[in-house]
Amino acid sequence: MAGTGLFAEILDGDVYKYYADGEWKKSSSAKTVAIINPTTRKTQYKVQACTQEEVNKVMESAKTAQKSWAKTPLWKRAELLHKAAAILKEHKAPIAECLVKEIAKPAKDAVTEVVRSGDLVSYTAEEGVRILGEGKFLVSDSFPGNERTKYCLTSKIPLGVILAIPPFNYPVNLAVSKIAPALIAGNSLVLKPPTQGAVSALHMVHCFHLAGFPKGLISCVTGKGSEIGDFLTMHPGVNCISFTGGDTGIAISKKAGMVPLQMELGGKDACIILEDADLDLVAANIIKGGFSYSGQRCTAVKVVLVMESVADVLVDKVKAKIAKLTVGPPEDDCDITPVVSESSANFIEGLVKDAKEKGATFCQEYKRDGNLIWPLLLDNVRPDMRIAWEEPFGPVLPVIRINSIEEGIHHCNASNFGLQGCVFTKDVNKAILISDAMETGTVQINSAPARGPDHFPFQGLKDSGIGSQGVTNSINMMTKIKSTVINLPTPSYTMG
């Protein structure tokens, strides 16, 4: 059970504490933030509303702890990360329970997220030892006009304090994807979890606490974005920001100042389907890509661009599969569960109403009960409809019929997003040409968009983000190159 047994110390009455200086604390504000269960639409949990002064103390502790941590041998850093990963996987049940109640993630998927997160932490530890254990040695005479009088030694050094802000839809996995690279690279880390998902994240942080990381190295502050959001992202003690979420990231990037940014800000992932595609494979991937976790994924299929000649057959196949999806509470492991909030449900409904007014074909009846929206396929969507461009983050998928490959590529590239896309065809040559033409960070060929496996590079173009994620890229991004140059009085060459 969440907040009991091993996790009892993170709970004070009915309010979860925040984590700083290696301790679980109550905020001096005496205020709390309510976390609403998307299914019941009632308060499920409460967390501390931290103050700006508490953030200042956390930053000071993080700065101090980082200096000592940077002197900790790589093998020891990795050892502690492996320990945290084992604790995380061992106690997957209470963390998964939080995911079910906070963000309405289906029970089986919630367990999978926690296990995947443990695996990610361990993989990062292994990769970090390899990447950070190597430097470069350069000699000066490789550049014209120089003798061999300089030896340059380069190594990767930590940035300092990393601010990590994960999204609600993967509050554990997308937190550890920032925490583990930061720690193995010798940084300290301050985590600001999303409100929906905060309690899951607090349980995860306790696993790192139990692993024995030094005090102050990891902190987790909860509270209202309106009170501590800008204060955190603009704090002079922050040396790097890793953010996953929506267009809030654009505002952060404008305010953050001279610090490295790693940002993934959503997408309108297009699925281009050619005449020769395996339509059964396409239909299965549209269901998986468009409707898993009720479409609340940055890498969900967000628009289907299908050649007119095969559109009728494909739509019928997808309709038949949608009819088999189960709809209901996450505790029952349903395929479609409530979206995260009433405001999200209202936004999705606005897109649906706009499509209806402008003549889209509804392949199912639109149905909503509270935050629960039944899966809906919209055919004959046109570019003048909002759903053609906006990211619904829900179980509603538009189909646009196209008459040429160029038309599909044009629609994909006209979006302000550029996270991922996919192409279905049996012609590998066409697939590569289309992939090269699509302005997205990743293109999947004959599969739906996906973030992962977690060591794969993950990045977006345009408004979809800055920088690249994935284990190796995150480690490198959270370090700087340091050079030491040895100057010799006379040239020196090894004769062999």
Side-chain angles (χ1 to χ4, degrees), residues 173-219:
N173 183 256
L174 282 172
V176 301
S177 73
K178 305 172 190 306
I179 294 169
L183 296 181
I184 193 66
N187 300 288
S188 60
L189 184 125
V190 176
L191 177 69
K192 168 59 178 76
T195 299
Q196 301 289 141
V199 175
S200 307
L202 290 168
H203 280 74
M204 174 271 294
V205 167
H206 193 54
C207 296
F208 282 81
H209 168 76
L210 294 170
F213 282 89
K215 291 182 178 181
L217 189 68
I218 306 167
S219 306

